Amino acid sequence: MAIFNNGDITAKGDKTDSNTAIITAGAKIKGEVELSCNLYIDGELEGFIKSSKEVNVGKNGHVKGDITTKRLVVQGLVEGSVHADRVEIKAAGHVNGEITSVELVIESKGIFEGNSIIKDTTASMSKIETGN
């Protein structure tokens, strides 16, 4: 089962973003996902993800494809290219591919196989927000 939530309706001045689209364990999705809210993946997704917020790959999550986001947290498996301001690979997380980021954090027992490219700190994810 997958749960999607369009998080466009928020109160002005609300600093917390509680809008999250969820792909639950057992769900298998192929294609392109573009959103302006957080995304939590505990199922399988093959394709491209573009989010102006946070993408979190849960312990059961498996992403095969490219991810462009502001912040990526990996507790499961990501195979492909990642473009983000901050990437966090947690203890059970595994990334196999290329990471382009300002910050890369790998916790003890987290696995990263591939290439890491340091992004200029002045070049934030404003490209995602403006669409350029």
Side-chain angles (χ1 to χ4, degrees):
M1 176 167 86
I3 300 170
F4 298 96
N5 176 8
N6 184 358
D8 290 339
I9 303 171
T10 58
K12 291 184 179 181
D14 186 9
K15 294 184 181 181
T16 61
D17 187 3
S18 61
N19 298 313
T20 301
I22 300 171
I23 299 173
T24 61
K28 293 182 181 182
I29 297 176
K30 288 185 181 183
E32 295 182 25
V33 177
E34 186 170 342
L35 19 84
S36 59
C37 64
N38 296 325
L39 174 62
Y40 183 83
I41 303 165
D42 216 24
E44 296 179 29
L45 192 146
E46 182 177 338
F48 302 96
I49 300 170
K50 184 176 180 182
S51 173
S52 59
K53 301 288 183 179
E54 177 179 310
V55 174
N56 191 322
V57 180
K59 291 180 182 179
N60 298 314
H62 181 186
V63 175
K64 189 172 184 177
D66 298 339
I67 300 172
T68 301
T69 186
K70 188 167 186 89
R71 179 173 179 238
L72 174 66
V73 178
V74 181
Q75 299 173 29
L77 174 62
V78 173
E79 298 176 281
S81 296
V82 174
H83 299 273
D85 283 349
R86 180 176 172 95
V87 176
E88 298 177 28
I89 303 173
K90 300 294 186 181
H94 186 160
V95 176
N96 186 352
E98 183 174 275
I99 296 176
T100 303
S101 65
V102 176
E103 288 182 87
L104 173 58
V105 178
I106 305 173
E107 287 186 0
S108 178
K109 298 192 179 185
I111 299 171
F112 172 51
E113 299 176 278
N115 298 318
S116 173
I117 299 169
I118 299 170
K119 187 166 56 170
D120 185 0
T121 57
T122 59
S124 69
M125 297 306 292
S126 61
K127 289 184 179 181
I128 290 177
E129 294 167 5
T130 61
N132 294 328

